[in-house]
Amino acid sequence: MKQYEIAVIPGDGIGKEVVPSATEVLDAVAEVHGGISFKYTNFSWSCDYFEQHGKMMPDDGMQILQNFEAIFLGAVGDPQRVPDHVSLWGLLIKIRREFEQVINIRPAKYFRGLASPLSTPKDFDLLVVRENSEGEYSEIGGRIHKGDDEIAIQNAVFTRKGTERAIRYAFELAQKRRGHVTSATKSNGIVYSMPFWDQVFKDVSRAYPEVQTTSVHIDALSAFFVTKPHVFDVVVASNLFGDILTDIGAAIMGSIGIAPAANININGKYPSMFEPVHGSAPDIAGQGIANPIGQIWTAKMMLDHLGHQEMGQHLLKVVEDVTQSGVKTKDIGGMLTTKQVTEEIISRLKR
């Protein structure tokens, strides 16, 4: 039996509630299918840790995490106690950057049992591949002068290496799905980085003649996510564009509370990290009503990454079945607790 060593960081707020739920579900699906198990090592790195130690993780935190096969993260942030730029850059973004997690993946699909805000939603199932290390979120820039003469400069950085690996990753995924990649661009308004992005997209596409391609400006593409999301398969985008599109993807599903994400290291030097999109939700933390689906779907993405796609597909189907039968938390139209939803998912997995 293969045992996976998983670093678990529940983090802040509802992360402390939904992460234990998701690990219970992971253990259940592993038990049902057999052949694998999980060994979890929990780390209390969070805003609580910051208040005690003045930092989000210990000085050797990255060296500790490097020894694990994956990182399972709950949520980071409690702005009433620790500024967001301190908590995020001290833990979440630090891990992403130093572990070279250069690809971010977020799915969006018509989720059975969830009310989409779209008036007549079709059966959409798309995947956004977001460049996760550079682009518009580079740390290059600054502010000078004061008053009327004050200037803020933020430089976007697009390297051929970073751009190409994100686009190539999207093509590889499309080959395993429906064979279509859409590129998010804005070359009619951003005169250097986006024509460069378009050129790299065209160059990479030559190696995948069987994959169909489309290039769409980000403003139109954002609208199409609302008006016709069913036409998309894999969408590849820069850091900022991908960030925006994936939040639209969560919204058209009906709740950001169910959306998962994966931060992927593709060179094998470091572990990848899996996290839900919903954040720490301090307003409902500790009440036992947090929606565990985002964290559980994140666990499904971790299963996929570890090579157990069949388990992942089974898990997501059961989660949708449970949701469709009305077993839901308050945020998506139900009245049940985190624990009750989790227990029902586990019961149906074992059934």
Side-chain angles (χ1 to χ4, degrees):
M1 176 179 289
K2 168 64 177 177
Q3 183 178 69
Y4 290 100
E5 299 271 352
I6 308 297
V8 176
I9 308 175
D12 297 299
I14 63 171
K16 298 173 183 177
E17 301 167 60
V18 295
V19 166
S21 292
T23 54
E24 286 181 39
V25 171
L26 267 174
D27 288 338
V29 75
E31 178 185 337
V32 168
H33 284 260
I36 68 168
S37 64
F38 298 96
K39 180 181 179 182
Y40 308 111
T41 303
N42 282 270
F43 297 97
S44 61
W45 306 338
S46 60
C47 290
D48 290 339
Y49 186 92
F50 182 88
E51 288 194 320
Q52 295 174 21
H53 303 279
K55 48 196 170 187
M56 292 297 293
M57 65 163 67
D59 293 338
D60 63 346
M62 298 302 291
Q63 287 80 9
I64 293 171
L65 292 177
Q66 187 172 341
N67 297 318
F68 291 88
E69 289 168 278
I71 302 166
F72 197 52
L73 177 70
V76 179
D78 190 340
Q80 296 299 316
R81 296 188 294 152
V82 181
D84 276 344
H85 71 276
V86 173
S87 60
L88 290 173
W89 283 87
L91 186 60
L92 173 64
I93 298 176
K94 181 179 178 67
I95 295 171
R96 284 182 181 175
R97 294 287 170 92
E98 294 189 24
F99 278 173
E100 299 176 17
Q101 293 168 350
V102 297
I103 304 292
N104 180 273
I105 306 174
R106 280 176 59 176
K109 69 188 297 291
Y110 180 70
F111 202 90
R112 289 182 290 110
L114 203 62
S116 169
L118 302 179
S119 58
T120 54
K122 293 186 178 180
D123 193 8
F124 62 91
D125 182 357
L126 61 91
L127 201 60
V128 177
V129 175
R130 167 187 168 193
E131 198 290 316
N132 206 35
S133 66
E134 51 181 43
E136 303 89 349
Y137 291 178
S138 81
E139 299 171 59
I140 300 173
R143 292 167 65 168
I144 58 174
H145 308 313
K146 297 293 180 182
D148 292 342
D149 293 324
E150 188 169 13
I151 300 171
I153 298 172
Q154 177 73 54
N155 291 329
V157 176
F158 286 76
T159 66
R160 177 167 284 273
K161 180 179 179 180
T163 302
E164 182 174 324
R165 67 192 171 197
I167 292 172
R168 191 172 298 280
Y169 198 91
F171 274 90
E172 294 289 335
L173 286 175
Q175 285 185 314
K176 302 171 186 175
R177 288 171 52 95
R178 300 193 301 277
H180 191 282
V181 178
T182 302
S183 170
T185 185
K186 190 56 183 171
S187 52
N188 63 346
I190 303 176
V191 297
Y192 295 117
S193 61
M194 284 295 105
F196 172 77
W197 174 279
D198 291 348
Q199 182 61 55
V200 176
F201 183 74
K202 185 177 180 181
D203 293 345
V204 172
S205 69
R206 294 191 187 100
Y208 301 88
E210 73 284 3
V211 176
Q212 294 181 307
T213 63
T214 310
S215 188
V216 184
H217 291 139
I218 183 62
D219 42 355
L221 185 54
S222 298
F224 293 157
F225 262 44
V226 175
T227 59
K228 51 179 183 181
H230 57 279
V231 306
F232 298 107
D233 180 16
V234 177
V235 179
V236 63
S238 66
N239 216 331
L240 174 62
F241 292 174
D243 201 0
I244 294 167
L245 288 172
T246 50
D247 275 6
I248 297 173
I252 62 175
M253 285 196 292
S255 173
I256 201 167
I258 71 163
N263 301 285
I264 304 297
N265 170 274
I266 61 175
N267 60 23
K269 290 170 60 178
Y270 305 106
S272 295
M273 178 168 64
F274 302 85
E275 52 164 332
V277 176
H278 53 57
S280 58
D283 56 321
I284 62 168
Q287 299 178 37
I289 60 173
N291 189 341
I293 291 177
Q295 193 77 51
I296 292 169
W297 195 349
T298 297
K300 182 266 186 193
M301 293 190 77
M302 186 168 72
L303 284 169
D304 291 343
H305 179 71
L306 295 172
H308 302 286
Q309 290 84 0
E310 184 180 344
M311 289 188 196
Q313 289 170 1
H314 178 206
L315 174 55
L316 187 58
K317 181 183 182 303
V318 167
V319 172
E320 285 194 86
D321 289 344
V322 166
T323 305
Q324 191 172 32
S325 69
V327 179
K328 299 185 277 191
T329 48
K330 187 176 181 179
D331 61 302
I332 54 172
M335 293 301 294
L336 300 181
T337 65
T338 309
K339 183 178 180 181
Q340 288 171 322
V341 172
T342 303
E343 288 177 344
E344 181 63 19
I345 290 170
I346 291 172
S347 173
R348 295 203 189 193
L349 280 169
K350 293 184 175 181
R351 198 181 303 166

